[in-house]
Amino acid sequence: MSILNGVVGIETVSAVSGSGELNGLAASANPDVILADDDATDRAALLSVAAELGLPVVLLTSDRQSVRQLSSAHVPAWACLLKEAEAAEITAAVFAAAAGLITLDGSMVPLLTAANVRSVQTIYGELPDPMSPREMEVLQLLAQGLPNKVIANRLNISQHTVKFHVAGILSKLNVGSRTEAVTIGARRGLITI
Amino acid sequence: MAGEKVSAIGRFVGLKALSDELAGLVESAAAYTVRVEDGSRLTGTGVVWSEDGTVVTSSHGLERDEDLSIESSDGTVRSVTLVGRDPESDLAVLKASNTGLIAAPKEENPEVKVGQLVVAIGNPGRQGLQATLGLINSRYEVQTNDKPEYILKTDAVLYPGFSGSPLIGATGKVVGLVNRWFGRGSSVALGVPIVEQVVASLLEHGRVQRGYLGIRTQIVPLPETVLTALERPQASGLLIVQVEPGSPADVAGVLLGDILIGIDSESLVDVDGLRHHLRAGRTVQLHTLRGGQQRNVEATIVAQR
């Protein structure tokens, strides 16, 4: 872990080999983050100890698949980087993990399928027919209760075009009124509030 | 036998009086309960709010902005213009140019109590007035302004087209404006103070200026591991899916991916709850989850642009 020597804000409080030693040392050293050189045979045990201690884990691995294991671990934050990661990347990941953020090497993103990130899976799926940027603008103005005439003026389009967009919004959100469109739009995260 | 029947009928004097009074109450409400015609198949109901021609109805019942009219129970039709809508309270205000309208009498706040008899009076179709009877089942206090405001729940049945109808108490005064859609299946009425506030704002500004935090959110179930760590367990939170640069949320340090779980020590389980808290000028504590850890940040809500 010499790569982190001299980095302002990071102090190596303890170095251990394997999850077995981690449990005992962590209590006395009081670390903020566990930086681990991945060992596939000890990975599950390490994550279980980290979860028990409530500590974020920064894992340096050669197995991209380990990102899946990390994403379902009950740790407060984690990072998954490749063993050949630059010192700057590791440093950033340590700071990010300490701040409660999740960091991963870009090449691992496709491995995190919807099933793996179900903890942040929202109850609304994608709209079958997504809203156009113009419809999103009209919806935002509907949320302010503005009538068609004012919306037309704001967006510099005709009232007829506003009506056309409102009809499109109601149809895409499968609702019967503007009020419902605003409520459903806000619930779906389509309106800034 | 015949004598027993006569005496049995004679015993219902009080009930007859109540029945007559209810019918009288409906008759008196006919003066200010109007049918709102917006050209759609199902018309809605509105209440004449003040004698200058201000009429209140539900926003969701109005499908269009123009070519609107109201019809009084005596058959008089007046054309009206749309003053404005407030999607948040689902209210819309209309203005009739010619007067001669009679305004609804309104009940003062302290007189509105759980358990009181209420009558909902709708005027949606061509059949004239329709009335249903119930109790005020509960009263929810909501504070969106400085004055006490409340939403009433009733077991009076609300038929299609009843949104925008008056809910009338036993004194013959309006206690709230009913809304079939707002209550998500249950019969609710917005108390008079909420309606007064929205009407005043729509008349003055054409819209109700709501508070703005600068986020887009979606409801997410909270993972089991997080639930146990919370002071007050809640099944869901609001995942922040967008933070507007420079907005109050951005200034407060809210990040994309944070989960908003509360505001000012109150749990937030859906975006509707959050919208009720947004009052411009207020400084609020936002309780968020980041990486499973709770964070509390302060944000000052601004007026929506």
Side-chain angles (χ1 to χ4, degrees), chain B residues 214-236:
Chain B
I215 52 171
R216 291 184 183 182
T217 68
Q218 282 196 30
I219 189 168
V220 282
L222 295 180
E224 199 90 352
T225 44
V226 170
L227 282 179
T228 50
L230 296 178
E231 277 175 36
R232 278 188 304 273
Q234 60 190 75
S236 59

Side-chain angles (χ1 to χ4, degrees), chain A residues 140 186 191-193, chain B residues 86 88 143-145 208-217 238 248-249 260 262-264 268 270-286 299-304:
Chain A
Q140 188 69 40
I191 295 171
T192 311
I193 55 172
Chain B
D86 176 35
E88 181 83 29
Q143 182 85 39
T144 55
N145 291 287
V208 179
Q209 200 157 50
R210 300 286 177 186
Y212 177 80
L213 207 48
I215 52 171
R216 291 184 183 182
T217 68
L238 293 170
L260 189 58
I263 185 165
D264 282 345
L268 279 181
D270 58 32
V271 72
D272 305 336
L274 171 64
R275 290 170 74 199
H276 292 147
H277 275 91
L278 299 182
R279 273 179 283 152
R282 268 184 72 197
T283 297
V284 292
Q285 282 275 329
L286 300 177
T300 302
I301 297 166
V302 296
Q304 200 168 42

Side-chain angles (χ1 to χ4, degrees), chain B residues 49-61:
Chain B
W49 205 251
S50 56
E51 279 172 14
D52 61 359
T54 303
V55 175
V56 187
T57 187
S58 74
S59 172
H60 81 263

Side-chain angles (χ1 to χ4, degrees), chain A residues 76 122 148 180 187-188 193, chain B residues 65 181 214-216 218 272 291:
Chain A
T122 64
N148 290 349
E180 245 182 302
R187 288 184 195 160
R188 280 184 166 274
I193 55 172
Chain B
D65 288 357
W181 180 77
I215 52 171
R216 291 184 183 182
Q218 282 196 30
D272 305 336

Side-chain angles (χ1 to χ4, degrees), chain B residues 122-197:
Chain B
N123 190 1
R126 298 281 175 194
Q127 303 85 10
L129 292 182
Q130 299 175 20
T132 61
L133 177 69
L135 294 183
I136 295 179
N137 299 137
S138 50
R139 179 182 149 137
Y140 298 99
E141 305 300 323
V142 287
Q143 182 85 39
T144 55
N145 291 287
D146 298 332
K147 285 194 298 183
E149 295 181 341
Y150 45 88
I151 293 170
L152 305 170
K153 198 168 166 229
T154 176
D155 53 4
V157 178
L158 304 179
Y159 295 120
F162 263 49
S163 286
S165 299
L167 189 70
I168 303 168
T171 58
K173 295 180 180 172
V174 173
V175 297
L177 210 73
V178 303
N179 195 308
R180 291 185 80 232
W181 180 77
F182 199 69
R184 296 190 204 174
S186 59
S187 301
V188 298
L190 299 175
V192 169
I194 295 180
V195 184
E196 295 275 24
Q197 175 69 29

Side-chain angles (χ1 to χ4, degrees), chain A residues 102-157:
Chain A
I102 288 167
T103 313
L104 64 157
D105 186 273
S107 64
M108 298 169 189
V109 173
L111 299 173
L112 277 186
T113 60
N116 289 95
V117 291
R118 66 181 174 278
S119 62
V120 289
Q121 197 66 27
T122 64
I123 62 171
Y124 295 106
E126 292 290 315
L127 284 174
D129 188 4
M131 303 255 262
S132 69
R134 195 54 126 182
E135 285 168 338
M136 291 288 278
E137 282 180 295
V138 172
L139 180 62
Q140 188 69 40
L141 296 173
L142 284 182
Q144 297 180 30
L146 299 179
N148 290 349
K149 202 188 291 179
V150 180
I151 295 175
N153 283 342
R154 288 249 190 130
L155 299 180
N156 209 13
I157 54 179

